[in-house]
Amino acid sequence: MTHNIQCIDKALVARRFAHSRSTYEREASVQRQVAEKMMRLLTETMQAEGVTPAELSARFRHVVELGCGTGSFSRILWSRLKPESLLLNDLCPEMEECVEALCTSPSVRFHPGDAEMLDFPGGTDLIASCSTLQWFNNPAAFFARCHCSLTTDGILAFSTFGAENMKQIRQLTGNGLNYLPLHRLEEMLAPHFHILHAEEEIVSLPFDNPIAVLKHLKQTGVTGTEKKVWTRGRLEAFCNEYIRRFGNEKGKVELTYHPIYLIVQKRK
């Protein structure tokens, strides 16, 4: 079985996200919705397993969040779960300033670095991540490492993006991430985890014009694989083609997001 290993310039990704950290919260509406839904799904899934919302703190005493970014999901995790320890990780060291308020608690600490290389603390009850896994080079190896770090009945809960994500940008520029479909993720998880919940959805964000789409992408930092320079000619051609292929009669356009949600439990 092939493992869909890709090679992403992590240093470039880190620079782009660091640069956008002041605008990310305002612009990243889809990622914010994904974080809120992730917590709702986690709560509902655990209820189905016999864990009430009041018992979540006891169930998830030691929590690790990978790719915490500006802290949208971190704040939800901290307020809803109230864990004994919360380790926040991000590729960008600069993100520590975005979660500073959380880190005033002695129970919360920030650890910068590449989550694919990070040594997770053993005895972790929950490894969580929102809108990050699509940047990983080797998800299969990452899942195996999660299995080793989690407690006996530990949970891995994450969201990522599927093949339809930003399809307009990829079709027009030929540039984008190697998004994995849900069934491939499930195959990679199967040796180590029981799938408790799997779901995907399509979200379309409306924009007045293609320039607004590019601005949105820049301000959310998700341009981490784009290395070509945007010359005036290239920009004009991109805008014309975007409207021709994806615009409505008023010239307005959409950008597609394709969130995938997975909640899995460690196999014994």
Side-chain angles (χ1 to χ4, degrees):
M1 183 192 292
T2 58
H3 284 326
N4 292 76
I5 297 171
Q6 55 183 349
C7 191
I8 291 170
D9 184 344
K10 296 280 185 85
L12 177 62
V13 172
R15 285 199 302 276
R16 296 273 167 86
F17 275 111
H19 186 70
S20 70
R21 66 191 185 280
S22 62
T23 52
Y24 184 90
E25 284 289 309
R26 185 184 71 236
E27 282 293 321
S29 58
V30 172
Q31 289 88 340
R32 194 163 52 247
Q33 289 168 28
V34 165
E36 288 162 0
K37 180 168 180 173
M38 191 76 244
M39 178 51 72
R40 178 170 59 76
L41 292 176
L42 179 61
T43 304
E44 290 171 358
T45 302
M46 296 318 295
Q47 272 189 284
E49 296 293 307
V51 180
T52 68
E55 295 168 332
L56 283 176
S57 289
R59 178 68 175 80
F60 298 130
R61 292 178 304 126
H62 302 291
V63 178
V64 172
E65 186 198 355
L66 303 170
C68 70
T70 55
S72 297
F73 191 43
S74 317
R75 288 183 279 275
I76 295 171
L77 281 172
W78 180 241
S79 64
R80 306 275 180 87
L81 300 184
K82 299 179 173 59
E84 287 177 27
S85 71
L86 175 59
L87 174 63
L88 302 176
N89 154 264
D90 199 85
L91 184 63
C92 312
E94 295 89 344
M95 292 303 180
E96 185 169 12
E97 69 192 46
C98 301
V99 293
E100 234 169 11
L102 286 175
C103 292
T104 56
S105 166
S107 302
V108 184
R109 65 189 178 95
F110 178 84
H111 185 84
D114 184 349
E116 292 195 83
M117 313 296 289
L118 188 71
D119 287 326
F120 312 144
T124 297
D125 301 302
L126 171 66
I127 295 174
S129 179
C130 267
S131 306
T132 298
L133 198 91
Q134 67 275 8
W135 297 105
F136 285 12
N137 284 318
N138 192 341
F142 167 74
F143 295 147
R145 288 175 57 241
C146 287
H147 180 268
C148 293
S149 300
L150 284 165
T151 49
T152 307
D153 56 354
I155 298 288
L156 169 62
F158 68 93
S159 73
T160 183
F161 293 101
E164 293 293 296
N165 204 59
M166 299 189 187
K167 63 181 181 181
Q168 297 89 346
I169 304 299
R170 284 185 298 132
Q171 287 178 32
L172 292 173
T173 66
N175 188 60
L177 294 172
N178 177 23
Y179 296 107
L180 293 170
L182 177 56
H183 72 88
R184 282 293 294 120
L185 291 165
E186 290 176 322
E187 285 171 10
M188 290 178 177
L189 288 159
H192 310 290
F193 294 95
H194 296 288
I195 312 270
L196 300 181
H197 185 85
E199 183 180 330
E200 59 187 329
E201 62 185 348
I202 297 293
V203 180
S204 292
L205 272 195
F207 291 91
D208 286 338
N209 52 58
I211 294 287
V213 174
L214 291 178
K215 187 178 174 187
H216 163 77
L217 294 176
K218 186 177 181 183
Q219 292 182 338
T220 53
V222 298
T223 56
T225 60
E226 177 60 78
K227 293 182 180 180
K228 285 186 195 168
V229 175
W230 281 97
T231 63
R232 189 172 174 178
R234 184 185 177 212
L235 186 60
E236 191 176 326
F238 170 86
C239 290
N240 290 339
E241 193 64 6
Y242 204 125
I243 291 167
R244 188 183 73 79
R245 290 172 64 174
F246 306 111
N248 63 20
E249 65 281 355
K250 294 179 180 174
K252 292 183 185 287
V253 295
E254 289 186 337
L255 179 65
T256 301
Y257 279 91
H258 181 183
I260 290 175
Y261 305 84
L262 277 153
I263 299 170
V264 300
Q265 185 169 33
K266 178 176 175 173
R267 286 187 185 274
K268 293 181 175 62

